[in-house]
Amino acid sequence: MQPRVVIIGAGIVGTALADEITRLGWTDVTVTDRGPLFRTGGSTSHAPGLVFQTNGSKTMAELARYTVEKFTELEAFDPVGGLEIATTPQRWTDLHRRHGWAKSWGIESRLLDPQECAKLHPLLDPDRILGGYHTPTDGLALALTAAEAQARRAIARGACFLAYCEVMEILRGDGRVTGVRTADGQEFPADVVICAAGFWGAELGRAVALTVPLVPMAHQFAKTGSVPALDGGERLPMLRHQDADLYYRTYGDRIGIGYYGHDPRPVDMRTLLYDTASEQMPSMLPFTPAEFEPAWRESQRLLPALSATELAEGFDGIFSFTPDGFPILGEHRDLAGLWVAEAVWVTHSAGVARAVAEWIVTGTPEIDLHECDLYRFEEAAHSPDFIRRTSMQAFVEVYDIIHPHQYRSAPRELRTSPFYTRQKALGAYFFEGGLWERPAWFDANAHLMAELAAQGVEFPVRDEWSGSFYSPISIAEARWTRTHVALYDMTPLTRYEVSGAGAAAFLQQMTTNDVGKKPGAVTYTLLLDYNGGIRSDLTVARLSDHLFQVGANGPLDFDWFTRHLPGDGSVTVRDITGGTCCLGVWGPRARDMVQPLCADDLSHRGFGYFRALRTFLGSIPVTMMRVSYVGELGWEIYTTAEHGAALWDLLWDAGAEHRVITAGRIAFNSLRLEKGYRSWGTDMTAEHTPEAAGVGFAVRQSKSSFIGKAALDSAAPPQKTLRSVVLDDPHAVVLGKEPVTIDGVVAGYLTSAGYSATIGRCIAYAWLPTAVEPGAQVQIDYLTQTFTARVHAEPVVDPEMSLIRR
């Protein structure tokens, strides 16, 4: 018997979901909406429909690409092309970066001079611009046409659409969804309910104890009267003037203007639901012309032909913003069968629907969705205050030039390690990740630069872009780690305690490697999805027969573990990150520094690599793990948060005679690149198999069973492989996501990159055709420059792996 599916919302997402789910063979689908079909009154009804595919996220670009392909097939897409223009040098440089993204993700694009821009869009004043970025396959989605066309296809397969049928309650029993109840008292039984209600979704989630972190925001859109210069009905490309927070599209002989430059205006959904209960278009609020005045003045300067017309109409349309700008997708962990597909713009709608339909029907989407997953946020990020403040900031920054190392300014200091005050006293500059304050470098180490320069270490001068949110002190910190000893704050590393009589069997089934070793063993292993893609990489330390400590990558790992727990209560998974802390002590002098503090034998013979030891340093109880993400002698040293400050002081004092320093994330990243260590979510994702990502050694195929094993057993050889590349020019620096070309043809793209203080070159990872061997020359397009590089055997530094086994 087929599962019964109810989709809440018949906008662009709900109709696409109905089409994609029925295409996969589930045809008992009912779609409800509180408004009429198909102009339902939500964001789809007023969406301007601009589809720009280029995005810094490969996932979002892929979702947009599929949307373009599908809407073209449905004759609901007008491929007028997209044109983004620069009026400042910073924006012109950024358009080069966007052009690089497009080449990395396979999107046709080109950079134009001002005259070429004006030829494409004759209303432009070429003297006002420095250049433009053109994407010919972008265009206008006819959102209502696309919604109805997808609905008609779903109906032909058996789906049912109901207008004026507002879902008021989600029914449940025995921990799973059982159906929905509508405003008129009807009940619709269901095995799967998908909330695609747009900006109403957060309210529906609240009713079932689910936080859907989105904020409905009002956004200005206006249309001009007739523009005499458009009397011929020219088809002009969509236009973005991001330096002024503006975008434009044509409506025959009129111009539509969207504006993000006004203050963010979050909408209280409870008030909106009450005030608009009888309105046909509750998502369109009255226009606020005073706030639009700067937009209109700037539009007339950029497009002088607009001086011959006037603003004829406008509205403030509501649509969803999230704390990080990505959609909210996934299944409620505590109410099986309830899914959400929210905060999805028309641009990505069909791609999202296909991925979510695959996820629901087959269990695993073909595309990596970790950036969009419902459970990607830390606990503090679920607070109403955090969601509101960060979503408002996302609105402000929607067209800003955001550096990859530019982190939110507020809220900050939500998660700090016990070492935080010591780090601040040493002049730490903090990055933010997972809401943690993470030192990037320390001003206290500036004096090392002169000492190392005298020894021949170079500190190349960076260009303005790569030199932002950066200090050359990080080179000194990395070099010092290789020659002396350094402390690294590893507290933000997510840690789980997995315990119980069934813990060993559970972890054996969940992970790829053999974690069933004797207590004291540490194992590097992977979490795979059912397609054999890498969901995460872990370190699993067996501390006793029924107790394991797992180093993980974040909330998605906890979600995956929790969903697979046995029902007999034999396994408990507990997040211990906040109650513990960790210092990495690494470098050739690490043992000289730490051994005097410990009664146990810390020699290589007494405490070998990939071993764990529960002991004391001084009077402080610690768990030490002989692992090293920087590829040096040393340990990760864990203790409870109450002992954290004392642990820091103990190690700092003990390290004085060995000239210990504390080092930051930039040095840490460059050292791990030297050693060929991957970063999940950046270098590898669920779209990659272990073999392709170069971590096949973490798979024990002799195990009888683990999640993803069957898929690996039948997997074809990978067509692309993750490789290390080393840039030829010692002054060349790249940051990641740049396209890689071979013989003039784009062959792949970079993932992460960092300057190596050991070899005096920038090292990066690149996804390249598997046939490309070490020694091959490649070219990397970085902003306005092209650098040459060589594919390098791994690891680039210390291939004998002798440093970590001293």
Side-chain angles (χ1 to χ4, degrees):
M1 184 176 177
Q2 278 197 355
R4 298 162 297 180
V5 180
V6 170
I7 299 172
I8 304 171
I12 196 67
V13 179
T15 53
L17 278 165
D19 183 28
E20 296 291 341
I21 289 173
T22 56
R23 180 180 63 84
L24 293 176
W26 288 12
T27 57
D28 189 351
V29 175
T30 301
V31 184
T32 71
D33 201 283
R34 69 194 296 268
L37 302 175
F38 285 93
R39 194 176 178 85
T40 62
S43 299
T44 303
S45 304
H46 63 71
L50 285 72
V51 177
F52 287 89
Q53 298 168 82
T54 306
N55 195 294
S57 162
K58 180 176 180 289
T59 292
M60 297 302 283
E62 290 288 343
L63 297 174
R65 189 213 309 269
Y66 180 75
T67 301
V68 168
E69 293 172 356
K70 186 175 184 183
F71 286 8
T72 299
E73 175 192 343
L74 296 173
E75 299 182 349
F77 187 75
D78 187 1
V80 296
L83 178 62
E84 304 177 38
I85 51 97
T87 59
T88 64
Q90 293 80 10
R91 182 69 62 179
W92 182 228
T93 300
D94 190 58
L95 293 185
H96 283 76
R97 182 170 66 125
R98 293 178 64 78
H99 183 45
W101 290 343
K103 289 195 286 187
S104 290
W105 316 146
I107 300 167
E108 183 182 354
S109 64
R110 57 183 179 143
L111 293 166
L112 307 178
D113 64 32
Q115 296 303 323
E116 290 173 314
C117 291
K119 186 176 180 180
L120 268 179
H121 200 298
L123 301 192
L124 272 171
D125 178 358
D127 295 332
R128 293 269 304 157
I129 63 177
L130 301 178
Y133 166 67
H134 180 227
T135 43
T137 60
D138 288 346
L140 297 168
L142 311 178
L144 293 175
T145 301
E148 184 167 359
Q150 291 176 104
R152 298 297 177 202
R153 297 208 308 193
I155 290 169
R157 300 185 189 111
C160 174
F161 281 73
L162 302 174
Y164 301 109
C165 186
E166 183 175 6
V167 170
M168 301 299 291
E169 183 181 0
I170 296 171
L171 306 176
R172 48 203 148 148
D174 296 326
R176 66 168 302 111
V177 72
T178 60
V180 301
R181 182 179 291 118
T182 63
D184 61 3
Q186 292 188 79
E187 291 189 5
F188 293 87
D191 304 293
V192 173
V193 173
I194 311 170
C195 185
F199 50 78
W200 284 283
E203 293 300 309
L204 283 168
R206 190 174 290 113
V208 289
L210 178 67
T211 299
V212 181
L214 64 82
V215 175
M217 212 83 70
H219 159 64
Q220 289 188 310
F221 191 81
K223 291 181 183 178
T224 70
S226 177
V227 179
L230 293 178
D231 280 348
E234 290 86 350
R235 292 176 69 255
L236 301 182
M238 307 175 299
L239 179 64
R240 273 178 168 170
H241 178 19
Q242 293 170 302
D243 288 322
D245 296 306
L246 286 161
Y247 64 84
Y248 307 88
R249 60 155 296 181
T250 56
Y251 292 89
D253 64 352
R254 305 168 71 193
I255 297 286
I257 307 172
Y259 185 46
Y260 288 106
H262 57 83
D263 290 337
R265 293 203 302 276
V267 176
D268 187 333
M269 283 307 300
R270 289 163 293 186
T271 301
L272 185 74
L273 287 167
Y274 176 79
D275 291 345
T276 64
S278 61
E279 290 186 10
Q280 288 290 312
M281 201 58 60
S283 61
M284 295 174 67
L285 302 180
F287 190 52
T288 48
E291 289 186 289
F292 198 77
E293 274 300 315
W296 181 234
R297 289 194 300 269
E298 178 60 24
S299 296
Q300 290 174 304
R301 285 193 288 266
L302 182 70
L303 309 172
L306 297 187
S307 299
T309 187
E310 59 186 13
L311 292 177
E313 58 181 296
F315 64 92
D316 290 6
I318 303 173
F319 61 117
S320 301
F321 278 79
T322 62
D324 58 7
F326 289 95
I328 309 294
L329 313 175
E331 184 183 18
H332 194 328
R333 186 161 61 218
D334 301 317
L335 186 58
L338 178 63
W339 292 74
V340 296
E342 300 292 9
V344 181
W345 293 9
V346 171
T347 300
H348 311 103
S349 56
V352 163
R354 178 177 68 166
V356 172
E358 292 169 348
W359 200 352
I360 293 171
V361 176
T362 71
T364 308
E366 292 292 331
I367 189 172
D368 171 59
L369 292 178
H370 84 271
E371 294 170 309
C372 310
D373 196 292
L374 167 66
Y375 286 102
R376 66 186 181 270
F377 297 103
E378 302 287 343
E379 184 177 1
H382 287 141
S383 69
D385 176 72
F386 184 92
I387 294 168
R388 180 183 174 89
R389 292 173 69 184
T390 54
S391 297
M392 289 172 65
Q393 189 63 27
F395 181 93
V396 170
E397 295 176 346
V398 69
Y399 278 171
D400 286 1
I401 300 170
I402 305 296
H403 192 277
H405 295 152
Q406 180 179 340
Y407 300 94
R408 64 173 63 93
S409 58
R412 291 290 294 266
E413 298 186 332
L414 288 174
R415 304 178 86 183
T416 59
S417 80
F419 321 129
Y420 185 57
T421 56
R422 272 75 168 169
Q423 293 164 344
K424 286 178 40 173
L426 292 169
Y429 181 91
F430 291 95
F431 287 170
E432 180 266 331
L435 308 188
W436 286 99
E437 298 297 328
R438 304 183 181 204
W441 68 84
F442 291 85
D443 288 339
N445 295 326
H447 70 281
L448 297 177
M449 294 174 62
E451 181 176 338
L452 291 171
Q455 299 172 17
V457 176
E458 294 191 11
F459 296 84
V461 177
R462 292 195 174 201
D463 64 276
E464 181 180 0
W465 182 252
S466 67
S468 299
F469 306 99
Y470 166 81
S471 171
I473 293 172
S474 62
I475 296 177
E477 292 175 352
R479 186 65 178 170
W480 203 259
T481 305
R482 289 270 184 252
T483 58
H484 291 74
V485 62
L487 302 181
Y488 288 83
D489 185 358
M490 302 299 290
T491 303
L493 173 69
T494 300
R495 292 176 290 286
Y496 303 136
E497 181 184 271
V498 181
S499 61
F506 171 71
L507 288 171
Q508 283 286 66
Q509 176 63 19
M510 294 297 295
T511 71
T512 59
N513 213 337
D514 179 13
V515 298
K517 302 167 186 172
K518 293 180 180 180
V522 180
T523 306
Y524 177 77
T525 187
L526 308 173
L527 292 180
L528 304 184
D529 64 20
Y530 289 95
N531 288 341
I534 304 170
R535 283 190 58 94
S536 189
D537 63 338
L538 314 171
T539 54
V540 177
R542 190 168 196 173
L543 303 181
S544 67
D545 286 343
H546 303 309
L547 178 65
F548 295 80
Q549 182 172 309
V550 177
N553 282 297
L556 292 180
D557 295 338
F558 187 84
D559 180 57
W560 188 249
F561 278 139
T562 302
R563 291 178 187 275
H564 290 85
L565 284 173
D568 59 5
S570 63
V571 182
T572 299
V573 177
R574 190 166 66 95
D575 188 336
I576 61 171
T577 310
T580 55
C581 58
C582 177
L583 281 172
V585 183
W586 292 308
R589 299 186 183 179
R591 185 177 289 116
D592 296 335
M593 171 180 154
V594 179
Q595 179 65 83
L597 305 175
C598 185
D600 287 294
D601 181 6
L602 303 185
S603 69
H604 184 63
R605 179 184 292 274
F607 188 3
Y609 195 57
F610 271 106
R611 299 294 299 172
L613 174 68
R614 299 168 93 176
T615 184
F616 293 87
L617 296 184
S619 300
I620 302 170
V622 298
T623 298
M624 299 178 66
M625 296 187 193
R626 181 87 186 275
V627 295
S628 174
Y629 201 47
V630 302
E632 277 291 338
L633 168 66
W635 308 269
E636 290 178 356
I637 303 177
Y638 297 88
T639 190
T640 53
E642 62 186 326
H643 297 299
L647 177 65
W648 175 285
D649 292 342
L650 179 70
L651 291 170
W652 189 254
D653 291 344
E657 64 179 290
H658 305 286
R659 301 189 69 188
V660 69
I661 66 166
T662 182
R665 297 295 298 182
I666 297 177
F668 181 81
N669 185 60
S670 71
L671 292 170
R672 67 98 180 170
L673 285 163
E674 291 180 353
K675 296 301 298 177
Y677 298 150
R678 276 64 170 145
S679 174
W680 183 84
T682 301
D683 303 317
M684 57 189 185
T685 70
E687 294 184 6
H688 306 117
T689 64
E691 181 185 357
V695 289
F697 63 88
V699 178
R700 186 65 61 89
Q701 285 287 63
S702 60
K703 285 172 61 174
S704 60
S705 175
F706 57 82
I707 292 175
K709 184 178 190 299
L712 292 188
D713 289 342
S714 60
Q719 296 183 345
K720 289 201 170 184
T721 303
L722 190 66
R723 302 284 195 189
S724 282
V725 298
V726 177
L727 276 69
D728 293 330
D729 184 348
H731 298 281
V733 174
V734 293
L735 297 182
K737 300 187 179 181
E738 293 88 357
V740 180
T741 60
I742 300 175
D743 297 328
V745 177
V746 176
Y749 60 90
L750 300 186
T751 55
S752 51
Y755 180 82
S756 166
T758 305
I759 67 170
R761 298 286 192 280
C762 186
I763 300 173
Y765 286 128
W767 280 101
L768 295 171
T770 301
V772 176
E773 296 288 344
Q777 186 176 67
V778 300
Q779 294 77 43
I780 300 168
D781 291 341
Y782 169 74
L783 302 180
T784 60
Q785 300 173 274
T786 298
F787 301 132
T788 59
R790 293 272 177 187
V791 178
H792 202 289
E794 293 189 81
V796 176
V797 172
D798 186 31
E800 299 82 13
M801 305 296 284
S802 61
L803 298 181
I804 57 178
R805 294 184 169 89
R806 302 188 209 216

